[in-house]
mmCIF file of all heavy atoms in Angstrom:
data_model
loop_
_atom_site.group_PDB
_atom_site.id
_atom_site.type_symbol
_atom_site.label_atom_id
_atom_site.label_comp_id
_atom_site.label_asym_id
_atom_site.label_seq_id
_atom_site.Cartn_x
_atom_site.Cartn_y
_atom_site.Cartn_z
ATOM 1 N N GLY A 780 -13.730 -4.577 11.925
ATOM 2 C CA GLY A 780 -13.320 -3.191 11.779
ATOM 3 C C GLY A 780 -12.907 -2.909 10.355
ATOM 4 O O GLY A 780 -12.935 -3.790 9.487
ATOM 5 N N ALA A 781 -12.500 -1.686 10.093
ATOM 6 C CA ALA A 781 -12.115 -1.270 8.746
ATOM 7 C C ALA A 781 -10.948 -2.094 8.218
ATOM 8 O O ALA A 781 -10.056 -2.495 8.969
ATOM 9 C CB ALA A 781 -11.745 0.212 8.757
ATOM 10 N N VAL A 787 -1.142 -9.709 -1.467
ATOM 11 C CA VAL A 787 -1.454 -10.950 -2.168
ATOM 12 C C VAL A 787 -0.130 -11.667 -2.431
ATOM 13 O O VAL A 787 0.745 -11.153 -3.126
ATOM 14 C CB VAL A 787 -2.187 -10.678 -3.496
ATOM 15 C CG1 VAL A 787 -2.486 -11.985 -4.219
ATOM 16 C CG2 VAL A 787 -3.481 -9.918 -3.225
ATOM 17 N N ASP A 801 -6.625 -8.713 13.925
ATOM 18 C CA ASP A 801 -5.585 -8.110 13.101
ATOM 19 C C ASP A 801 -5.585 -8.525 11.633
ATOM 20 O O ASP A 801 -5.990 -7.769 10.777
ATOM 21 C CB ASP A 801 -4.198 -8.366 13.684
ATOM 22 C CG ASP A 801 -3.973 -7.590 14.956
ATOM 23 O OD1 ASP A 801 -4.699 -6.618 15.214
ATOM 24 O OD2 ASP A 801 -3.066 -7.954 15.704
ATOM 25 N N GLU A 812 -11.782 -18.158 3.780
ATOM 26 C CA GLU A 812 -10.877 -17.789 4.857
ATOM 27 C C GLU A 812 -10.288 -19.049 5.467
ATOM 28 O O GLU A 812 -11.005 -19.993 5.795
ATOM 29 C CB GLU A 812 -11.605 -16.978 5.920
ATOM 30 C CG GLU A 812 -10.668 -16.523 7.032
ATOM 31 C CD GLU A 812 -11.359 -15.683 8.096
ATOM 32 O OE1 GLU A 812 -12.550 -15.368 7.917
ATOM 33 O OE2 GLU A 812 -10.701 -15.353 9.098
ATOM 34 N N GLY A 830 10.833 -11.437 0.375
ATOM 35 C CA GLY A 830 11.753 -12.520 0.709
ATOM 36 C C GLY A 830 11.147 -13.648 1.501
ATOM 37 O O GLY A 830 11.808 -14.214 2.385
ATOM 38 N N HIS A 837 1.907 -1.432 12.576
ATOM 39 C CA HIS A 837 0.795 -1.347 13.520
ATOM 40 C C HIS A 837 0.671 0.022 14.167
ATOM 41 O O HIS A 837 1.621 0.807 14.221
ATOM 42 C CB HIS A 837 0.950 -2.406 14.612
ATOM 43 C CG HIS A 837 0.887 -3.804 14.105
ATOM 44 N ND1 HIS A 837 -0.222 -4.605 14.240
ATOM 45 C CD2 HIS A 837 1.801 -4.543 13.437
ATOM 46 C CE1 HIS A 837 0.013 -5.790 13.698
ATOM 47 N NE2 HIS A 837 1.242 -5.777 13.199
ATOM 48 N N VAL A 844 7.196 -9.212 11.997
ATOM 49 C CA VAL A 844 7.675 -10.017 10.879
ATOM 50 C C VAL A 844 7.147 -11.430 11.052
ATOM 51 O O VAL A 844 7.332 -12.045 12.113
ATOM 52 C CB VAL A 844 9.219 -10.034 10.821
ATOM 53 C CG1 VAL A 844 9.694 -10.719 9.550
ATOM 54 C CG2 VAL A 844 9.782 -8.616 10.919
ATOM 55 N N ALA A 847 5.339 -17.245 6.843
ATOM 56 C CA ALA A 847 4.075 -17.851 6.411
ATOM 57 C C ALA A 847 4.332 -19.183 5.729
ATOM 58 O O ALA A 847 5.281 -19.329 4.963
ATOM 59 C CB ALA A 847 3.345 -16.910 5.454
ATOM 60 N N GLY A 848 3.456 -20.180 5.997
ATOM 61 C CA GLY A 848 3.550 -21.489 5.363
ATOM 62 C C GLY A 848 2.679 -21.537 4.125
ATOM 63 O O GLY A 848 1.546 -21.995 4.177
ATOM 64 N N ALA A 852 -0.744 -24.055 2.302
ATOM 65 C CA ALA A 852 -2.000 -23.313 2.171
ATOM 66 C C ALA A 852 -2.909 -23.891 1.106
ATOM 67 O O ALA A 852 -4.123 -23.709 1.149
ATOM 68 C CB ALA A 852 -1.698 -21.851 1.845
ATOM 69 N N GLU A 860 -1.308 -20.803 9.439
ATOM 70 C CA GLU A 860 -1.170 -19.636 10.309
ATOM 71 C C GLU A 860 0.295 -19.234 10.421
ATOM 72 O O GLU A 860 1.137 -20.017 10.863
ATOM 73 C CB GLU A 860 -1.728 -19.943 11.691
ATOM 74 C CG GLU A 860 -1.720 -18.744 12.620
ATOM 75 C CD GLU A 860 -2.484 -19.012 13.905
ATOM 76 O OE1 GLU A 860 -3.423 -19.818 13.870
ATOM 77 O OE2 GLU A 860 -2.117 -18.416 14.923
ATOM 78 N N THR A 869 13.983 -4.930 17.467
ATOM 79 C CA THR A 869 14.169 -6.154 18.235
ATOM 80 C C THR A 869 14.745 -5.831 19.605
ATOM 81 O O THR A 869 15.346 -4.771 19.824
ATOM 82 C CB THR A 869 15.122 -7.111 17.510
ATOM 83 O OG1 THR A 869 16.417 -6.487 17.410
ATOM 84 C CG2 THR A 869 14.613 -7.451 16.115
ATOM 85 N N VAL A 886 11.773 13.773 21.293
ATOM 86 C CA VAL A 886 10.554 13.519 20.527
ATOM 87 C C VAL A 886 9.400 14.416 20.959
ATOM 88 O O VAL A 886 8.500 14.706 20.179
ATOM 89 C CB VAL A 886 10.131 12.036 20.625
ATOM 90 C CG1 VAL A 886 11.160 11.152 19.945
ATOM 91 C CG2 VAL A 886 9.917 11.609 22.064
ATOM 92 N N GLY A 907 12.917 -1.687 -0.367
ATOM 93 C CA GLY A 907 13.983 -1.005 -1.079
ATOM 94 C C GLY A 907 14.853 -1.974 -1.852
ATOM 95 O O GLY A 907 14.617 -3.185 -1.840
ATOM 96 N N LYS A 919 6.626 11.707 11.670
ATOM 97 C CA LYS A 919 7.318 12.505 10.650
ATOM 98 C C LYS A 919 8.652 11.912 10.207
ATOM 99 O O LYS A 919 9.378 12.539 9.441
ATOM 100 C CB LYS A 919 7.541 13.947 11.125
ATOM 101 C CG LYS A 919 6.311 14.639 11.690
ATOM 102 C CD LYS A 919 6.634 16.012 12.227
ATOM 103 C CE LYS A 919 5.448 16.612 12.969
ATOM 104 N NZ LYS A 919 5.751 17.944 13.544
ATOM 105 N N ALA A 947 10.055 3.168 -3.403
ATOM 106 C CA ALA A 947 11.490 3.086 -3.646
ATOM 107 C C ALA A 947 11.722 2.438 -4.998
ATOM 108 O O ALA A 947 10.994 1.519 -5.389
ATOM 109 C CB ALA A 947 12.178 2.292 -2.539
ATOM 110 N N THR A 955 9.096 9.874 -0.506
ATOM 111 C CA THR A 955 8.237 9.939 0.675
ATOM 112 C C THR A 955 7.120 10.959 0.455
ATOM 113 O O THR A 955 7.364 12.053 -0.055
ATOM 114 C CB THR A 955 9.052 10.330 1.920
ATOM 115 O OG1 THR A 955 9.616 11.638 1.743
ATOM 116 C CG2 THR A 955 10.176 9.336 2.170
ATOM 117 N N ALA A 958 1.485 14.328 4.893
ATOM 118 C CA ALA A 958 0.338 15.202 5.127
ATOM 119 C C ALA A 958 0.691 16.667 4.907
ATOM 120 O O ALA A 958 -0.207 17.509 4.884
ATOM 121 C CB ALA A 958 -0.188 14.989 6.542
ATOM 122 N N TRP A 965 14.841 11.138 -1.910
ATOM 123 C CA TRP A 965 16.034 10.941 -1.099
ATOM 124 C C TRP A 965 16.977 9.970 -1.797
ATOM 125 O O TRP A 965 16.534 9.042 -2.473
ATOM 126 C CB TRP A 965 15.676 10.380 0.276
ATOM 127 C CG TRP A 965 14.628 11.159 1.009
ATOM 128 C CD1 TRP A 965 13.276 11.094 0.847
ATOM 129 C CD2 TRP A 965 14.847 12.151 2.019
ATOM 130 N NE1 TRP A 965 12.635 11.970 1.684
ATOM 131 C CE2 TRP A 965 13.574 12.642 2.427
ATOM 132 C CE3 TRP A 965 15.988 12.676 2.637
ATOM 133 C CZ2 TRP A 965 13.420 13.604 3.402
ATOM 134 C CZ3 TRP A 965 15.846 13.645 3.610
ATOM 135 C CH2 TRP A 965 14.574 14.102 3.985
ATOM 136 N N GLY A 969 27.283 9.956 -2.337
ATOM 137 C CA GLY A 969 28.597 10.084 -1.724
ATOM 138 C C GLY A 969 28.641 9.761 -0.251
ATOM 139 O O GLY A 969 29.521 10.238 0.471
ATOM 140 N N LEU A 979 9.019 17.604 -4.444
ATOM 141 C CA LEU A 979 8.037 17.708 -5.517
ATOM 142 C C LEU A 979 6.773 18.345 -4.961
ATOM 143 O O LEU A 979 6.155 17.807 -4.039
ATOM 144 C CB LEU A 979 7.728 16.327 -6.096
ATOM 145 C CG LEU A 979 8.947 15.466 -6.489
ATOM 146 C CD1 LEU A 979 8.479 14.136 -7.072
ATOM 147 C CD2 LEU A 979 9.846 16.195 -7.474
ATOM 148 N N ALA A 1038 -2.560 1.512 -6.920
ATOM 149 C CA ALA A 1038 -1.719 0.374 -7.281
ATOM 150 C C ALA A 1038 -1.518 0.376 -8.782
ATOM 151 O O ALA A 1038 -2.338 0.926 -9.526
ATOM 152 C CB ALA A 1038 -2.369 -0.944 -6.829
ATOM 153 N N THR A 1046 -7.043 3.276 -8.577
ATOM 154 C CA THR A 1046 -7.100 4.231 -7.466
ATOM 155 C C THR A 1046 -8.376 4.020 -6.654
ATOM 156 O O THR A 1046 -9.446 3.791 -7.200
ATOM 157 C CB THR A 1046 -7.063 5.677 -7.988
ATOM 158 O OG1 THR A 1046 -8.154 5.893 -8.905
ATOM 159 C CG2 THR A 1046 -5.761 5.963 -8.708
ATOM 160 N N SER A 1048 -10.841 5.601 -3.383
ATOM 161 C CA SER A 1048 -11.154 6.932 -2.865
ATOM 162 C C SER A 1048 -12.134 6.904 -1.707
ATOM 163 O O SER A 1048 -12.871 5.922 -1.490
ATOM 164 C CB SER A 1048 -11.722 7.789 -4.000
ATOM 165 O OG SER A 1048 -12.259 9.004 -3.544
ATOM 166 N N VAL A 1069 -15.072 2.638 -13.648
ATOM 167 C CA VAL A 1069 -15.349 3.116 -12.293
ATOM 168 C C VAL A 1069 -16.123 2.016 -11.591
ATOM 169 O O VAL A 1069 -17.237 1.684 -11.991
ATOM 170 C CB VAL A 1069 -16.162 4.430 -12.296
ATOM 171 C CG1 VAL A 1069 -16.420 4.886 -10.863
ATOM 172 C CG2 VAL A 1069 -15.450 5.518 -13.085
ATOM 173 N N GLY A 1072 -19.129 -0.345 -5.472
ATOM 174 C CA GLY A 1072 -19.634 -1.486 -4.718
ATOM 175 C C GLY A 1072 -19.405 -1.359 -3.230
ATOM 176 O O GLY A 1072 -20.196 -1.851 -2.427
ATOM 177 N N LEU A 1092 -6.754 -8.544 -11.976
ATOM 178 C CA LEU A 1092 -7.582 -8.836 -10.814
ATOM 179 C C LEU A 1092 -7.350 -7.738 -9.786
ATOM 180 O O LEU A 1092 -6.211 -7.462 -9.401
ATOM 181 C CB LEU A 1092 -7.213 -10.196 -10.226
ATOM 182 C CG LEU A 1092 -8.281 -10.923 -9.396
ATOM 183 C CD1 LEU A 1092 -9.544 -11.138 -10.210
ATOM 184 C CD2 LEU A 1092 -7.751 -12.262 -8.900
#
Side-chain angles (χ1 to χ4, degrees):
V787 179
D801 290 342
E812 183 179 355
H837 296 257
V844 188
E860 185 171 331
T869 63
V886 294
K919 310 176 188 178
T955 62
W965 308 81
L979 310 181
T1046 57
S1048 170
V1069 180
L1092 204 58

